[in-house]
């Protein structure tokens, strides 16, 4: 029998390794920017085309590389960060395994230009699928410029698994947020398809958060800081009232390296106990500083999972610190045991002699006595008792025990009359509906029909808008005062790049320095509904949706959802009209998102309860 085990060719081995390290364009961005940070750069430019599928370029002003180092950088396990195994447990750099550049070069076309300070010429290297196609000297600025083109060009199956451009751009933006938050002392520039999305100057952490997420965050942040022998904590947490219904603004860093940890995330949420609305998530930007030897950052190829030696102790310290910060800023109740047990008096009152207050009571006061409420002139409104009360003796200044007994007897009779509900009977048109939020309930032959009011309105509005959009633009109502949305990055870019379609849907807007100013919203919405609709759409875009082909459908879903949320009072005629509209819809059982609108509870089912 011949031997069956053999070594893989180098290019195949590199492609397999690339599958672990490079999953999507955002992975390339992370590795290139981390290399720039390790090179000592304080200014980094990022140029992206087609969400990174066709170009990811990172330009830095770091130390650059020599000709030999430039070539060695693309070899597997070639690194300047480690000398022996002990260095793995004292890491102070971002990259250390020497796999990133070799993996990128295996599945893309890479161009590197680099020059060290003091050298006259730099080095240019062209690599395609792990093969160096050209190496030459070039005139360039000090630092390094990596251009990664046509990602997964030689692995078409992997390229086909990439998501749409909005989704991949969102992943790039998320990675950009993680890196820039960890390094506010470095300036960054992020450009996509020749459109500048971010220009971040050197700043402190609070300013960096505001630059990334909008000016409104300046008033939403609470500082957190704690120093112990095990861990140092600093950063910011969000005020509970600004918690969002979607995740995405929760950031943990350890030694300036972003990581994810559900265990520590639970500690933060426990500290917010009873302060958050249901199914909402607070923002936090928390930095942990620990001894490098007490953590393992090599648990996962993406280095976003970290193993802590003292995770239980860090959990307790984190929870206590967040709770303390919330208490100090009067967000949650806190006790100050050092405070003096005395009242804080105004300065001008401290030398005055306390005077006991006088309480005067009218012994002849009778709450049941008839009197004028308009003053001595007698021109006011009379407080007139019923005949029953008068007959019971309550019109006179004095009342006897018999009067009180008669009064309670009358109260019991009135209560019994109120409890005799006049329930609607099938066939009586004047008593056809019961309104019990969120339902309209109507008796039918087989039992009781329950109609979910908001979902019924959403179905009707969705069908109307979709039918109208197919033939003509949805009308827009102009606002007296524009709705100012602080949008940056991919969200702002999405609105601007799809302006033609969004204006056909009724959204009229202008670009501003802070984001987008909406001067018109779809006609079916009032201003409050329009604000909610825009926020809902922005949340969808932040999660990488919708795709261009689904834009109209997704936006109309959001318009219908926002327009269905009203606070109006219901009556018979409104209920009749809504149900008539609902049953004219081609699909009246479910909303466009698949939620049930109506159902019948059969008479036999509720009779079983008796």
């Amino acid at each position: 029998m011949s031997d069956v085990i053999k070594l893989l060719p180098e290019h195949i081995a590199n492609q397999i390794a690339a599958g672990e390290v490079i999953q999507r364009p955002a992975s390339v961005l992370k590795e290139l920017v981390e290399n720039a940070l390790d090179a000592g750069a304080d200014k980094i430019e990022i140029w992206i085309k087609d969400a990174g599928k066709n170009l990811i370029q990172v330009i830095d002003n770091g130390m650059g590389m020599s000709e030999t180092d430039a070539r060695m950088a693309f070899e597997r396990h070639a690194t300047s960060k480690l000398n022996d195994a002990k260095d793995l447990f004292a890491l102070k750099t971002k990259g250390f395994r020497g796999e990133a550049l070799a993996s990128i070069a295996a599945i893309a076309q890479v161009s590197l230009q680099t020059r060290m300070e003091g050298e006259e010429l730099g080095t240019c290297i062209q690599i395609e699928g792990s093969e160096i196609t050209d190496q030459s000297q070039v005139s360039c600025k000090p630092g390094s410029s990596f251009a990664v083109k046509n990602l997964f060009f030689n692995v078409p199956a992997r390229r086909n698994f990439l998501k749409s451009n909005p989704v991949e751009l969102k992943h790039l933006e998320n990675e950009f947020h993680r890196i820039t938050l960890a390094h506010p002392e470095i300036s960054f520039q992020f450009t996509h398809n020749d459109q500048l999305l971010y220009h971040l100057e050197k700043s402190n952490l609070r300013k960096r958060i505001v630059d990334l997420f909008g000016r409104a965050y300046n008033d939403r942040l609470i500082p957190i800081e704690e120093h112990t022998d095990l861990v140092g904590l600093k950063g910011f947490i969000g005020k509970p009232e600004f918690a969002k219904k979607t995740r995405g603004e929760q950031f943990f860093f350890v030694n300036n390296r972003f990581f994810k940890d559900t265990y520590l995330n639970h500690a933060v949420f426990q500290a917010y106990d009873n302060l958050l609305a249901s199914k909402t998530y607070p923002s936090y930007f928390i930095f942990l500083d620990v001894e490098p030897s007490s953590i393992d950052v090599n648990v996962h190829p993406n280095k976003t999972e970290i193993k802590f030696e003292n995770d239980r102790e860090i959990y307790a310290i984190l929870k206590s610190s967040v709770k303390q910060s919330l208490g100090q800023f009067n967000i949650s109740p806190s006790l100050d045991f050092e405070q003096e047990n005395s009242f804080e008096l105004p300065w001008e009152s401290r030398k005055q002699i306390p005077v006991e207050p006088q309480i005067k009571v009218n012994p002849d006061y009778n709450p049941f006595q008839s009197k004028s409420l308009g003053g001595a002139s007698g021109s006011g409104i009379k407080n007139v008792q019923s005949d029953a009360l008068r007959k019971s003796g309550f019109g006179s200044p004095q009342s006897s025990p018999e009067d009180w007994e008669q009064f309670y007897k009358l109260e019991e009779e009135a209560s019994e009359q109120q409890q005799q509900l006049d329930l609607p009977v099938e066939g009586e048109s004047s008593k056809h509906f019961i309104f019990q939020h969120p339902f309209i309930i109507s008796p039918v032959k087989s039992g009781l029909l329950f109609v979910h009011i908001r979902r019924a309105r959403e179905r009707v509005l969705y069908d109307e808008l979709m039918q109208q959009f197919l033939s003509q633009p949805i009308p827009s109502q102009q606002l007296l005062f524009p709705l100012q949305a602080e949008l940056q990055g991919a969200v702002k870019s999405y609105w601007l790049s799809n302006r033609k379609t969004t204006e056909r849907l009724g959204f009229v807007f202008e670009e501003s320095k802070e984001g987008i100013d909406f001067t018109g919203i779809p006609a079916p919405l009032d201003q409050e509904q329009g604000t909610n609709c825009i926020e809902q759409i922005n949340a969808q875009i932040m999660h990488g949706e919708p795709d261009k082909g689904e834009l109209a459908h997704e936006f109309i879903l959001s318009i219908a959802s926002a327009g269905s949320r009203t606070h109006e009072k219901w009556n018979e005629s409104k209920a009749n009209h809504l149900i008539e509209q609902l049953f004219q819809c081609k699909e009246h059982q479910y909303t466009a998102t698949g939620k049930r609108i109506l159902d019948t509870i059969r008479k036999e089912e509720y009779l079983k309860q008796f």
Side-chain angles (χ1 to χ4, degrees), residues 521-542:
I521 57 176
L525 307 179
D526 59 30
Q527 186 150 340
E528 180 183 356
Q529 293 169 337
T531 302
N532 293 335
C533 181
I534 292 168
E535 290 178 353
Q536 184 176 336
I537 291 172
N538 290 339
Q540 291 176 349
I541 299 172
M542 287 182 67

PDB file of all heavy atoms in Angstrom, residues 521-542:
ATOM      1  N   ILE A 521     -41.738  64.472   5.282  1.00  0.00           N
ATOM      2  CA  ILE A 521     -41.930  63.075   5.653  1.00  0.00           C
ATOM      3  C   ILE A 521     -43.171  62.552   4.941  1.00  0.00           C
ATOM      4  O   ILE A 521     -43.996  63.338   4.463  1.00  0.00           O
ATOM      5  CB  ILE A 521     -42.084  62.906   7.180  1.00  0.00           C
ATOM      6  CG1 ILE A 521     -43.254  63.763   7.694  1.00  0.00           C
ATOM      7  CG2 ILE A 521     -40.791  63.245   7.901  1.00  0.00           C
ATOM      8  CD1 ILE A 521     -43.536  63.574   9.174  1.00  0.00           C
ATOM      9  N   PRO A 522     -43.332  61.224   4.812  1.00  0.00           N
ATOM     10  CA  PRO A 522     -44.516  60.684   4.142  1.00  0.00           C
ATOM     11  C   PRO A 522     -45.812  61.232   4.731  1.00  0.00           C
ATOM     12  O   PRO A 522     -45.956  61.357   5.955  1.00  0.00           O
ATOM     13  CB  PRO A 522     -44.382  59.174   4.390  1.00  0.00           C
ATOM     14  CG  PRO A 522     -42.922  58.948   4.530  1.00  0.00           C
ATOM     15  CD  PRO A 522     -42.395  60.168   5.234  1.00  0.00           C
ATOM     16  N   ALA A 523     -46.753  61.568   3.863  1.00  0.00           N
ATOM     17  CA  ALA A 523     -47.993  62.230   4.269  1.00  0.00           C
ATOM     18  C   ALA A 523     -48.787  61.475   5.331  1.00  0.00           C
ATOM     19  O   ALA A 523     -49.421  62.113   6.179  1.00  0.00           O
ATOM     20  CB  ALA A 523     -48.863  62.489   3.036  1.00  0.00           C
ATOM     21  N   PRO A 524     -48.821  60.132   5.354  1.00  0.00           N
ATOM     22  CA  PRO A 524     -49.614  59.447   6.380  1.00  0.00           C
ATOM     23  C   PRO A 524     -49.101  59.630   7.797  1.00  0.00           C
ATOM     24  O   PRO A 524     -49.789  59.244   8.746  1.00  0.00           O
ATOM     25  CB  PRO A 524     -49.526  57.966   5.961  1.00  0.00           C
ATOM     26  CG  PRO A 524     -49.148  57.976   4.533  1.00  0.00           C
ATOM     27  CD  PRO A 524     -48.287  59.177   4.360  1.00  0.00           C
ATOM     28  N   LEU A 525     -47.906  60.201   7.980  1.00  0.00           N
ATOM     29  CA  LEU A 525     -47.299  60.304   9.311  1.00  0.00           C
ATOM     30  C   LEU A 525     -47.386  61.712   9.856  1.00  0.00           C
ATOM     31  O   LEU A 525     -47.254  62.689   9.110  1.00  0.00           O
ATOM     32  CB  LEU A 525     -45.823  59.877   9.257  1.00  0.00           C
ATOM     33  CG  LEU A 525     -45.491  58.521   8.639  1.00  0.00           C
ATOM     34  CD1 LEU A 525     -43.984  58.288   8.660  1.00  0.00           C
ATOM     35  CD2 LEU A 525     -46.214  57.403   9.368  1.00  0.00           C
ATOM     36  N   ASP A 526     -47.616  61.827  11.184  1.00  0.00           N
ATOM     37  CA  ASP A 526     -47.442  63.124  11.816  1.00  0.00           C
ATOM     38  C   ASP A 526     -45.976  63.252  12.230  1.00  0.00           C
ATOM     39  O   ASP A 526     -45.172  62.346  11.994  1.00  0.00           O
ATOM     40  CB  ASP A 526     -48.391  63.292  13.009  1.00  0.00           C
ATOM     41  CG  ASP A 526     -48.186  62.235  14.090  1.00  0.00           C
ATOM     42  OD1 ASP A 526     -47.053  61.739  14.246  1.00  0.00           O
ATOM     43  OD2 ASP A 526     -49.166  61.893  14.785  1.00  0.00           O
ATOM     44  N   GLN A 527     -45.612  64.373  12.867  1.00  0.00           N
ATOM     45  CA  GLN A 527     -44.189  64.612  13.136  1.00  0.00           C
ATOM     46  C   GLN A 527     -43.617  63.591  14.118  1.00  0.00           C
ATOM     47  O   GLN A 527     -42.490  63.118  13.941  1.00  0.00           O
ATOM     48  CB  GLN A 527     -43.987  66.029  13.689  1.00  0.00           C
ATOM     49  CG  GLN A 527     -42.515  66.404  13.860  1.00  0.00           C
ATOM     50  CD  GLN A 527     -42.261  67.880  13.701  1.00  0.00           C
ATOM     51  OE1 GLN A 527     -43.078  68.584  13.110  1.00  0.00           O
ATOM     52  NE2 GLN A 527     -41.148  68.358  14.211  1.00  0.00           N
ATOM     53  N   GLU A 528     -44.381  63.227  15.134  1.00  0.00           N
ATOM     54  CA  GLU A 528     -43.892  62.234  16.099  1.00  0.00           C
ATOM     55  C   GLU A 528     -43.718  60.878  15.426  1.00  0.00           C
ATOM     56  O   GLU A 528     -42.703  60.193  15.627  1.00  0.00           O
ATOM     57  CB  GLU A 528     -44.862  62.120  17.274  1.00  0.00           C
ATOM     58  CG  GLU A 528     -44.417  61.113  18.323  1.00  0.00           C
ATOM     59  CD  GLU A 528     -45.421  60.956  19.455  1.00  0.00           C
ATOM     60  OE1 GLU A 528     -46.437  61.686  19.455  1.00  0.00           O
ATOM     61  OE2 GLU A 528     -45.204  60.094  20.328  1.00  0.00           O
ATOM     62  N   GLN A 529     -44.697  60.487  14.607  1.00  0.00           N
ATOM     63  CA  GLN A 529     -44.588  59.227  13.884  1.00  0.00           C
ATOM     64  C   GLN A 529     -43.432  59.255  12.896  1.00  0.00           C
ATOM     65  O   GLN A 529     -42.731  58.259  12.702  1.00  0.00           O
ATOM     66  CB  GLN A 529     -45.895  58.923  13.158  1.00  0.00           C
ATOM     67  CG  GLN A 529     -47.064  58.627  14.080  1.00  0.00           C
ATOM     68  CD  GLN A 529     -48.388  58.592  13.335  1.00  0.00           C
ATOM     69  OE1 GLN A 529     -48.527  59.172  12.253  1.00  0.00           O
ATOM     70  NE2 GLN A 529     -49.374  57.920  13.913  1.00  0.00           N
ATOM     71  N   GLY A 530     -43.220  60.425  12.264  1.00  0.00           N
ATOM     72  CA  GLY A 530     -42.111  60.559  11.328  1.00  0.00           C
ATOM     73  C   GLY A 530     -40.769  60.380  12.012  1.00  0.00           C
ATOM     74  O   GLY A 530     -39.865  59.719  11.480  1.00  0.00           O
ATOM     75  N   THR A 531     -40.622  60.946  13.211  1.00  0.00           N
ATOM     76  CA  THR A 531     -39.385  60.779  13.974  1.00  0.00           C
ATOM     77  C   THR A 531     -39.147  59.320  14.312  1.00  0.00           C
ATOM     78  O   THR A 531     -38.038  58.796  14.149  1.00  0.00           O
ATOM     79  CB  THR A 531     -39.448  61.619  15.263  1.00  0.00           C
ATOM     80  OG1 THR A 531     -39.657  62.991  14.929  1.00  0.00           O
ATOM     81  CG2 THR A 531     -38.150  61.485  16.055  1.00  0.00           C
ATOM     82  N   ASN A 532     -40.197  58.651  14.781  1.00  0.00           N
ATOM     83  CA  ASN A 532     -40.070  57.228  15.128  1.00  0.00           C
ATOM     84  C   ASN A 532     -39.738  56.391  13.897  1.00  0.00           C
ATOM     85  O   ASN A 532     -38.952  55.433  13.969  1.00  0.00           O
ATOM     86  CB  ASN A 532     -41.369  56.721  15.765  1.00  0.00           C
ATOM     87  CG  ASN A 532     -41.633  57.361  17.111  1.00  0.00           C
ATOM     88  OD1 ASN A 532     -40.710  57.810  17.789  1.00  0.00           O
ATOM     89  ND2 ASN A 532     -42.886  57.419  17.513  1.00  0.00           N
ATOM     90  N   CYS A 533     -40.336  56.739  12.756  1.00  0.00           N
ATOM     91  CA  CYS A 533     -40.095  55.996  11.521  1.00  0.00           C
ATOM     92  C   CYS A 533     -38.637  56.133  11.083  1.00  0.00           C
ATOM     93  O   CYS A 533     -37.990  55.143  10.724  1.00  0.00           O
ATOM     94  CB  CYS A 533     -41.032  56.503  10.422  1.00  0.00           C
ATOM     95  SG  CYS A 533     -40.838  55.646   8.842  1.00  0.00           S
ATOM     96  N   ILE A 534     -38.107  57.342  11.137  1.00  0.00           N
ATOM     97  CA  ILE A 534     -36.718  57.573  10.734  1.00  0.00           C
ATOM     98  C   ILE A 534     -35.756  56.830  11.662  1.00  0.00           C
ATOM     99  O   ILE A 534     -34.775  56.227  11.215  1.00  0.00           O
ATOM    100  CB  ILE A 534     -36.415  59.082  10.707  1.00  0.00           C
ATOM    101  CG1 ILE A 534     -37.202  59.761   9.567  1.00  0.00           C
ATOM    102  CG2 ILE A 534     -34.922  59.345  10.536  1.00  0.00           C
ATOM    103  CD1 ILE A 534     -37.201  61.266   9.624  1.00  0.00           C
ATOM    104  N   GLU A 535     -36.045  56.841  12.965  1.00  0.00           N
ATOM    105  CA  GLU A 535     -35.199  56.110  13.913  1.00  0.00           C
ATOM    106  C   GLU A 535     -35.234  54.615  13.639  1.00  0.00           C
ATOM    107  O   GLU A 535     -34.218  53.922  13.734  1.00  0.00           O
ATOM    108  CB  GLU A 535     -35.660  56.400  15.346  1.00  0.00           C
ATOM    109  CG  GLU A 535     -35.364  57.820  15.810  1.00  0.00           C
ATOM    110  CD  GLU A 535     -35.879  58.095  17.206  1.00  0.00           C
ATOM    111  OE1 GLU A 535     -36.596  57.214  17.759  1.00  0.00           O
ATOM    112  OE2 GLU A 535     -35.588  59.170  17.748  1.00  0.00           O
ATOM    113  N   GLN A 536     -36.416  54.097  13.298  1.00  0.00           N
ATOM    114  CA  GLN A 536     -36.552  52.673  13.001  1.00  0.00           C
ATOM    115  C   GLN A 536     -35.765  52.305  11.747  1.00  0.00           C
ATOM    116  O   GLN A 536     -35.071  51.278  11.710  1.00  0.00           O
ATOM    117  CB  GLN A 536     -38.033  52.330  12.817  1.00  0.00           C
ATOM    118  CG  GLN A 536     -38.324  50.860  12.590  1.00  0.00           C
ATOM    119  CD  GLN A 536     -39.812  50.575  12.515  1.00  0.00           C
ATOM    120  OE1 GLN A 536     -40.628  51.312  13.035  1.00  0.00           O
ATOM    121  NE2 GLN A 536     -40.165  49.493  11.843  1.00  0.00           N
ATOM    122  N   ILE A 537     -35.836  53.148  10.722  1.00  0.00           N
ATOM    123  CA  ILE A 537     -35.092  52.893   9.485  1.00  0.00           C
ATOM    124  C   ILE A 537     -33.589  52.954   9.744  1.00  0.00           C
ATOM    125  O   ILE A 537     -32.822  52.109   9.256  1.00  0.00           O
ATOM    126  CB  ILE A 537     -35.506  53.901   8.399  1.00  0.00           C
ATOM    127  CG1 ILE A 537     -36.949  53.632   7.942  1.00  0.00           C
ATOM    128  CG2 ILE A 537     -34.557  53.842   7.208  1.00  0.00           C
ATOM    129  CD1 ILE A 537     -37.508  54.687   7.024  1.00  0.00           C
ATOM    130  N   ASN A 538     -33.142  53.931  10.530  1.00  0.00           N
ATOM    131  CA  ASN A 538     -31.716  54.044  10.834  1.00  0.00           C
ATOM    132  C   ASN A 538     -31.203  52.820  11.575  1.00  0.00           C
ATOM    133  O   ASN A 538     -30.075  52.372  11.342  1.00  0.00           O
ATOM    134  CB  ASN A 538     -31.463  55.304  11.668  1.00  0.00           C
ATOM    135  CG  ASN A 538     -31.649  56.576  10.868  1.00  0.00           C
ATOM    136  OD1 ASN A 538     -31.587  56.555   9.640  1.00  0.00           O
ATOM    137  ND2 ASN A 538     -31.900  57.677  11.545  1.00  0.00           N
ATOM    138  N   ALA A 539     -32.028  52.266  12.471  1.00  0.00           N
ATOM    139  CA  ALA A 539     -31.633  51.049  13.192  1.00  0.00           C
ATOM    140  C   ALA A 539     -31.464  49.887  12.220  1.00  0.00           C
ATOM    141  O   ALA A 539     -30.539  49.079  12.351  1.00  0.00           O
ATOM    142  CB  ALA A 539     -32.667  50.710  14.254  1.00  0.00           C
ATOM    143  N   GLN A 540     -32.341  49.801  11.212  1.00  0.00           N
ATOM    144  CA  GLN A 540     -32.219  48.750  10.198  1.00  0.00           C
ATOM    145  C   GLN A 540     -30.931  48.913   9.403  1.00  0.00           C
ATOM    146  O   GLN A 540     -30.209  47.938   9.143  1.00  0.00           O
ATOM    147  CB  GLN A 540     -33.423  48.782   9.254  1.00  0.00           C
ATOM    148  CG  GLN A 540     -34.738  48.366   9.894  1.00  0.00           C
ATOM    149  CD  GLN A 540     -35.899  48.524   8.929  1.00  0.00           C
ATOM    150  OE1 GLN A 540     -35.759  49.114   7.871  1.00  0.00           O
ATOM    151  NE2 GLN A 540     -37.054  48.008   9.314  1.00  0.00           N
ATOM    152  N   ILE A 541     -30.638  50.152   9.012  1.00  0.00           N
ATOM    153  CA  ILE A 541     -29.428  50.399   8.225  1.00  0.00           C
ATOM    154  C   ILE A 541     -28.187  50.068   9.042  1.00  0.00           C
ATOM    155  O   ILE A 541     -27.215  49.509   8.526  1.00  0.00           O
ATOM    156  CB  ILE A 541     -29.394  51.868   7.743  1.00  0.00           C
ATOM    157  CG1 ILE A 541     -30.605  52.174   6.845  1.00  0.00           C
ATOM    158  CG2 ILE A 541     -28.102  52.156   6.993  1.00  0.00           C
ATOM    159  CD1 ILE A 541     -30.755  53.631   6.494  1.00  0.00           C
ATOM    160  N   MET A 542     -28.203  50.379  10.329  1.00  0.00           N
ATOM    161  CA  MET A 542     -27.059  50.088  11.192  1.00  0.00           C
ATOM    162  C   MET A 542     -26.774  48.603  11.279  1.00  0.00           C
ATOM    163  O   MET A 542     -25.645  48.186  11.512  1.00  0.00           O
ATOM    164  CB  MET A 542     -27.298  50.657  12.595  1.00  0.00           C
ATOM    165  CG  MET A 542     -27.189  52.171  12.678  1.00  0.00           C
ATOM    166  SD  MET A 542     -27.426  52.780  14.355  1.00  0.00           S
ATOM    167  CE  MET A 542     -25.973  52.122  15.153  1.00  0.00           C
TER     168      MET A 542
END
